[in-house]
Amino acid sequence: MQPRKPRQIARELALLSLSQLPANPKKLTEDQLPKLVLAAVRTLRSEVQDTLDNAVGELQRSSDRLLSSQTRATDVNTARTMVKEAISYTQTAINQLSAAIEFPELIQLANQDKEVSRYAIEIVRTVDEERKNIDEQIGTALVDWQVTRLAQIDRDILRIAVAEMLYLGVPNSVAIDEAVELAKRYSGEEGHRFINGVLRRVTQQQKQTV
């Protein structure tokens, strides 16, 4: 597992920060921006504990299924099914523990690396100030859908990517790749494919307007 770069951490903090904003917020002041990012760091600390608790629960379910396969299975096929379920629970727990291991590093970088907090604040400020135009770009790229009907996490990931492409000088391909990675971590099972498709249509729209 390769360590993530400061801007990757900053995007994640920006995403967590945006999730704390009301649907129609007033313009943020310069004093509010750092506080919003700080609140996101605190959210991460809470996430670590929740993730560990969930992993413990999955391991307990795995143990229960293994015990059942030994004491309650009436035939080989039933026992095999129970063992497969136990393995699945264990794999889920391992994935959750892997995520929990990453959070302390993220929190440390957010607290110590000025580039992380600076860029996170810059993303949040840009999304806040340019939200109308950003949402128009996203809305035009959506097929038979509206920005306001998107899941919040998908909407915020798209906003970050479009803000980077339009206002922060990030190459389109980089912004899309980073958005897809964020979606893999935070969105639903098909979220990263949906976000990839929307952002590619956004870039096509930009080419047509040039």
Side-chain angles (χ1 to χ4, degrees), residues 43-73:
T43 298
L44 282 173
R45 293 194 181 101
S46 172
E47 186 72 19
V48 171
Q49 187 59 56
D50 290 343
T51 303
L52 290 174
D53 290 343
N54 289 336
V56 169
E58 293 295 335
L59 288 173
Q60 183 60 55
R61 280 187 280 275
S62 174
S63 176
D64 292 344
R65 296 309 282 169
L66 284 174
L67 180 60
S68 295
S69 71
Q70 296 172 352
T71 60
R72 299 182 183 178

Side-chain angles (χ1 to χ4, degrees), residues 23 27 29 32 50-51 59 74 86 114 143 161 179 184 187 201:
K27 292 296 183 189
T29 66
Q32 289 174 313
D50 290 343
T51 303
L59 288 173
T74 56
K114 292 183 179 180
V143 178
K184 288 179 180 179
S187 186
R201 287 192 290 274

Side-chain angles (χ1 to χ4, degrees), residues 8 40 52 67 73 83 107-108 154 165 167 180 189 201 208:
Q8 292 174 318
L52 290 174
L67 180 60
V83 170
I107 293 169
Q108 182 180 16
D154 292 343
M165 288 191 289
Y167 301 103
V180 167
E189 187 173 343
R201 287 192 290 274
Q208 292 172 358

Side-chain angles (χ1 to χ4, degrees), residues 11-210:
R11 290 182 184 97
E12 193 159 341
L13 279 179
L15 179 62
L16 295 171
S17 300
L18 290 173
S19 69
Q20 300 176 65
L21 291 176
N24 296 300
K26 297 178 180 178
K27 292 296 183 189
L28 296 170
T29 66
E30 289 299 314
D31 291 339
Q32 289 174 313
L33 286 165
K35 292 178 181 177
L36 198 65
V37 174
L38 178 59
V41 174
R42 289 172 178 160
T43 298
L44 282 173
R45 293 194 181 101
S46 172
E47 186 72 19
V48 171
Q49 187 59 56
D50 290 343
T51 303
L52 290 174
D53 290 343
N54 289 336
V56 169
E58 293 295 335
L59 288 173
Q60 183 60 55
R61 280 187 280 275
S62 174
S63 176
D64 292 344
R65 296 309 282 169
L66 284 174
L67 180 60
S68 295
S69 71
Q70 296 172 352
T71 60
R72 299 182 183 178
T74 56
D75 54 54
V76 173
N77 286 335
T78 302
R80 184 181 293 117
T81 299
M82 289 180 174
V83 170
K84 286 182 178 179
E85 290 174 352
I87 292 172
S88 176
Y89 287 135
T90 302
Q91 185 60 57
T92 300
I94 291 171
N95 292 341
Q96 290 173 338
L97 288 170
S98 176
I101 289 170
E102 291 183 4
F103 283 136
E105 179 190 16
L106 192 153
I107 293 169
Q108 182 180 16
L109 283 172
N111 286 329
Q112 296 181 357
D113 193 321
K114 292 183 179 180
E115 168 64 13
V116 169
S117 58
R118 184 198 66 77
Y119 194 60
I121 290 171
E122 189 171 0
I123 291 173
V124 174
R125 178 191 293 112
T126 302
V127 171
D128 180 57
E129 292 177 351
E130 306 294 342
R131 178 173 301 193
K132 182 179 179 180
N133 186 44
I134 289 171
D135 283 359
E136 286 177 355
Q137 295 288 326
I138 296 170
T140 305
L142 292 173
V143 178
D144 298 326
W145 205 250
Q146 296 177 341
V147 175
T148 54
R149 296 179 63 190
L150 293 174
Q152 181 176 340
I153 197 72
D154 292 343
R155 183 169 61 242
D156 288 341
I157 291 173
L158 288 169
R159 284 170 170 167
I160 289 171
V162 174
E164 288 194 303
M165 288 191 289
L166 295 184
Y167 301 103
L168 300 179
V170 176
N172 291 352
S173 59
V174 173
I176 292 173
D177 287 346
E178 294 296 334
V180 167
E181 289 305 310
L182 273 179
K184 288 179 180 179
R185 292 173 64 82
Y186 286 96
S187 186
E189 187 173 343
E190 297 297 321
H192 67 281
R193 294 187 181 90
F194 168 75
I195 283 170
N196 181 64
V198 173
L199 291 176
R200 296 210 175 273
R201 287 192 290 274
V202 169
T203 61
Q204 291 171 1
Q205 291 169 182
Q206 290 176 347
K207 292 177 182 177
Q208 292 172 358
T209 57
V210 173

